[in-house]
Amino acid sequence: MTEVKTLRKDLKLRHLELISLGGIIGSAFFLGTGYIVAQAGPAVLISYALGGLIVFLVMLCLCELTVAMPSSSSFIQYASDYISPTWACGTGWSYWLNWIAYIPAECTAAGIIMHYIIPSVPAFSWAMLFGFVITIINLSKVRIFGEMEFWLAIVKISAIIMFCILALFIFFGLYKSSGKMPTIGTEYLLGDGGFFPKGKLVLISLMVMLLVNFQGSEIVCLAAAESKDTDVAIPRASRNIAIRIVLLYLVPVFLLVLIFPWSKMDSDTSVFILALQQYGFHWIAGIFTFVVLTAAFSCANSGMYASVRALYGLSQQKMAPKIFSRLNRHQVPMIAAIFTLVCIWIFLILSYFFSSTTAFSYLLSISGFTGAICWISICWAQYNFRKHCKRNNIELKGKFKTPFYPVVPLLGIWLQIACLVLLLWNEELRPAFYFGAPAVFLPMIIYWGYKKYAKRSSV
């Protein structure tokens, strides 16, 4: 009898937790936070709190599904089983496209940073090199990927903790710089236009842009098929990740708006560097340059992993060519990885002809739109899964059960739908809707048409 190849279960609990954080804390946080805060002012804290709530709701739903049915196809299979195969096809392909567009942005960000350090080598060459290194890692044994993400994520988390400590020193007056010291307190939080300088509606219209910072947390369940002790690992990792997201985002951003005026923030450089430099921490620029480089590499690395596994899952569900399910001797979907790499390189080459700042903001918003569709699918699938179990008197398997059903999945669904709809009211981010909607619905139409054609041909 021929042995059926499956993904190797080489990922440990510490790998799972840090893999998901690696996909979340990217250069978008270090470079994109300035854009978000500049658009909403100090009130952006409400948006970050709402984003943290949405992440927590999604992870509760995903945790129950993964523990009950661990699968390498993850949310693609859940959407297929408990929503519809057509919807699952659109969700899966848009999720794959989400990372295909986002990875080049991270590679380009890393290339720009390396070009600043070594000007003799063009940024585009560095970006291509980063893409090549990421590919080699993802074609290797999955344990190598896990260890790489573990240490890269530690670097990023350490930098955020360092910023928080320094910001607290500044806020409480424990550090005195040679420059002018502003009055610390509510001067930046409530001054210069108040807490809502741009109004309240902008808080929701920016949510898609903000949610892209949180996206990547679902990678923990894409990796479930390659982990040990799923019943214990996934619930613990999911809960910890949701809590850490709030601590690693909400707390640093809160401290940022306390010590630095929101009107001086932009997306051209890291506002964390600008804030610390204002108080004399000029030596921090070199450290944070390295951290942003690490963040770009790590996020692209996690994104490559997620996109390949998503394509593998689509193939397993017969929504993509069967060849993408083929595994190499390391039990890695190599052909899916190579195809993904080719598409990433196409985006990298095309990005050469556009302004990096404009492309970066558009790619982030597009990624946020398609990622939100994925998260809506997770909550929707969990809602239908529980209804299915109750209707058929099926006892839930596994050691985790989403609390406060059906409030948790329904709240997760409608909050994100509101974010997507209100995106149309933000003129700068509206193109994300025009690209994101076809990216979701075009694969559905193609899949539906193919199934209809296949059904007629078989008659």
Side-chain angles (χ1 to χ4, degrees):
M1 183 180 294
T2 304
E3 183 180 357
V4 177
K5 281 188 175 183
T6 58
L7 297 173
R8 186 184 295 275
K9 297 181 179 291
D10 272 348
L11 294 180
K12 301 175 182 178
L13 175 59
R14 64 183 178 91
H15 291 152
L16 283 178
E17 292 181 351
L18 273 298
I19 282 172
S20 188
L21 284 175
I24 296 166
I25 307 172
S27 64
F29 176 59
F30 293 104
L31 297 178
T33 299
Y35 172 84
I36 298 173
V37 179
Q39 291 292 311
V44 76
L45 292 170
I46 298 175
S47 298
Y48 271 97
L50 181 59
L53 173 63
I54 290 174
V55 173
F56 187 63
L57 297 174
V58 172
M59 292 305 291
L60 286 175
C61 294
L62 186 55
C63 183
E64 177 180 303
L65 291 169
T66 306
V67 170
M69 302 166 289
S71 167
S72 58
S73 304
S74 191
F75 53 84
I76 299 172
Q77 180 174 330
Y78 307 145
S80 177
D81 292 344
Y82 297 104
I83 302 176
S84 78
T86 302
W87 178 268
C89 181
T91 300
W93 276 107
S94 65
Y95 183 76
W96 179 79
L97 286 170
N98 162 30
W99 287 108
I100 293 303
Y102 188 69
I103 292 171
E106 293 288 359
C107 291
T108 301
I112 292 171
I113 294 168
M114 288 302 299
H115 177 64
Y116 175 79
I117 298 172
I118 308 176
S120 60
V121 180
F124 184 72
S125 299
W126 284 115
M128 299 294 281
L129 178 61
F130 273 94
F132 177 75
V133 173
I134 289 165
T135 303
I136 295 300
I137 292 172
N138 279 270
L139 292 179
S140 303
K141 293 183 179 180
V142 71
R143 181 178 294 175
I144 296 175
F145 164 78
E147 287 295 333
M148 178 72 71
E149 272 309 300
F150 178 81
W151 294 108
L152 290 176
I154 285 177
V155 170
K156 294 182 288 186
I157 294 170
S158 300
I160 293 174
I161 293 173
M162 179 179 66
F163 170 81
C164 291
I165 293 173
L166 293 176
L168 286 171
F169 267 68
I170 294 169
F171 181 77
F172 289 109
L174 300 177
Y175 175 82
K176 302 291 183 182
S177 71
S178 57
K180 177 182 179 291
M181 287 294 293
T183 304
I184 298 296
T186 60
E187 177 182 350
Y188 294 147
L189 188 64
L190 301 179
D192 194 13
F195 192 69
F196 297 96
K198 299 291 186 73
K200 298 181 177 64
L201 184 62
V202 69
L203 299 180
I204 305 298
S205 66
L206 281 171
M207 281 302 299
V208 168
M209 187 71 168
L210 186 146
L211 283 176
V212 73
N213 285 330
F214 294 119
Q215 284 168 12
S217 53
E218 71 285 339
I219 297 175
V220 69
C221 292
L222 273 173
E226 298 168 77
S227 66
K228 302 174 181 178
D229 303 321
T230 304
D231 278 3
V232 177
I234 298 299
R236 176 179 164 185
S238 299
R239 285 193 297 265
N240 289 350
I241 288 164
I243 294 170
R244 289 174 189 178
I245 285 173
V246 175
L247 294 177
L248 293 175
Y249 276 93
L250 191 58
V251 172
V253 173
F254 174 67
L255 292 173
L256 177 65
V257 297
L258 279 180
I259 67 172
F260 194 69
W262 65 269
S263 56
K264 292 185 179 180
M265 298 186 188
D266 56 47
S267 57
D268 293 334
T269 187
S270 173
V271 289
F272 298 98
I273 295 176
L274 292 177
L276 294 176
Q277 283 181 333
Q278 174 175 281
Y279 297 96
F281 291 99
H282 299 288
W283 53 270
I284 207 72
I287 296 176
F288 261 82
T289 297
F290 172 74
V291 171
V292 175
L293 179 65
T294 301
F297 180 80
S298 174
C299 193
N301 192 36
S302 289
M304 180 71 180
Y305 177 92
S307 59
V308 171
R309 267 55 184 184
L311 189 55
Y312 174 83
L314 285 166
S315 179
Q316 290 280 299
Q317 295 296 313
K318 299 181 180 179
M319 298 171 185
K322 188 176 180 180
I323 194 171
F324 294 138
S325 296
R326 191 173 299 174
L327 304 177
N328 65 4
R329 61 189 181 90
H330 297 306
Q331 293 171 252
V332 171
M334 184 177 64
I335 296 176
I338 292 173
F339 177 74
T340 300
L341 171 66
V342 170
C343 294
I344 289 171
W345 278 41
I346 291 173
F347 269 79
L348 269 173
I349 294 170
L350 291 176
S351 67
Y352 178 79
F353 301 99
F354 294 91
S355 165
S356 58
T357 304
T358 303
F360 189 66
S361 61
Y362 279 174
L363 286 171
L364 287 184
S365 57
I366 291 167
S367 179
F369 184 97
T370 53
I373 295 295
C374 165
W375 283 10
I376 289 171
S377 299
I378 290 170
C379 295
W380 190 4
Q382 189 275 333
Y383 176 76
N384 287 347
F385 167 69
R386 188 73 72 83
K387 284 177 63 178
H388 170 78
C389 292
K390 185 177 181 179
R391 184 167 55 247
N392 295 280
N393 295 319
I394 299 174
E395 185 178 353
L396 289 178
K397 298 178 182 179
K399 298 180 180 179
F400 185 87
K401 186 176 180 181
T402 301
F404 305 111
Y405 175 88
V407 175
V408 167
L410 290 178
L411 185 59
I413 290 170
W414 288 110
L415 281 176
Q416 292 180 88
I417 289 176
C419 293
L420 294 181
V421 172
L422 288 174
L423 179 68
L424 290 170
W425 271 262
N426 191 310
E427 187 175 350
E428 289 187 27
L429 303 180
R430 197 176 298 155
F433 191 95
Y434 299 145
F435 180 87
V440 174
F441 293 108
L442 187 58
M444 293 186 190
I445 295 171
I446 294 173
Y447 180 78
W448 180 83
Y450 171 77
K451 295 293 287 185
K452 285 287 187 182
Y453 174 78
K455 186 176 180 180
R456 289 180 180 177
S457 299
S458 61
V459 175

